[in-house]
Amino acid sequence: MSAQEQTILGPARRGGKGELNIHLIGSTYLYEGLSDWNILARASPPDMHTVNVHLILGSPFGGDGKVQDKSGETIHFDDDLSDEQVKLQPSFSQISPKKKYGAKELRRKTCRSFTHGSTKVKVHCHEKLYQNVMNEVPTPHLAFMS
């Protein structure tokens, strides 16, 4: 962990539940959403049993990176998602280039739990602007704009 570990994790540890809340403001399904959340589960300290990642998806289908899978194959999307929305996507996403993905499939692949050992990463999806959801989600231990 970073030099800021105590500042970030101290309050979560003092809470006694081993639960960490992270807010990613300005996320999209096509980038942050399709990240490999197992990496976060593996990298979390053993006393953090649950990491709640709250994706704040003000523009949920906006693009941020290349539209390729990790082998460089082009990923195809349903016609209900405009080309402008899916031009960019991470190359490390865990989806198949052989299948077309629509909004429903992207939500299903993103908004779920990932487990490694005793640590569970729960990805919560909020298709709202932060000011419209900040009172509905737990207070973050760490928040940043993505």
Side-chain angles (χ1 to χ4, degrees):
M1 280 282 258
S2 73
Q4 301 301 319
E5 176 181 0
Q6 196 54 16
T7 304
I8 296 167
L9 297 180
R13 287 182 170 132
R14 285 190 294 279
K17 293 188 210 174
E19 191 166 313
L20 181 67
N21 293 308
I22 301 173
H23 294 184
L24 298 179
I25 305 162
S27 299
T28 68
Y29 285 115
L30 304 175
Y31 195 79
E32 293 84 4
L34 292 176
S35 295
D36 187 350
W37 294 107
N38 287 307
I39 294 171
L40 179 60
R42 287 193 306 268
S44 294
D47 57 337
M48 288 295 123
H49 303 294
T50 304
V51 179
N52 292 302
V53 176
H54 293 273
L55 299 179
I56 313 302
L57 302 142
S59 299
F61 299 102
D64 275 343
K66 291 190 147 225
V67 185
Q68 298 173 334
D69 71 359
K70 61 184 172 182
S71 67
E73 297 259 349
T74 300
I75 297 170
H76 303 282
F77 296 93
D78 282 345
D79 294 334
D80 67 336
L81 298 176
S82 72
D83 285 342
E84 295 80 39
Q85 292 178 321
V86 296
K87 286 277 186 233
L88 305 169
Q89 177 171 321
S91 60
F92 50 83
S93 61
Q94 303 293 314
I95 62 177
S96 169
K98 308 289 187 233
K99 179 181 181 224
K100 279 190 161 189
Y101 290 89
K104 184 177 179 181
E105 290 84 8
L106 289 171
R107 286 181 183 107
R108 186 178 43 76
K109 287 196 80 58
T110 299
C111 313
R112 60 190 183 99
S113 294
F114 302 82
T115 304
H116 179 77
S118 64
T119 302
K120 181 179 283 191
V121 173
K122 295 180 182 178
V123 179
H124 307 270
C125 300
H126 307 278
E127 293 183 10
K128 299 178 180 181
L129 296 175
Y130 194 58
Q131 62 265 30
N132 298 331
V133 74
M134 60 190 270
N135 294 324
E136 299 172 13
V137 295
T139 302
H141 296 99
L142 175 66
F144 62 94
M145 296 188 70
S146 52

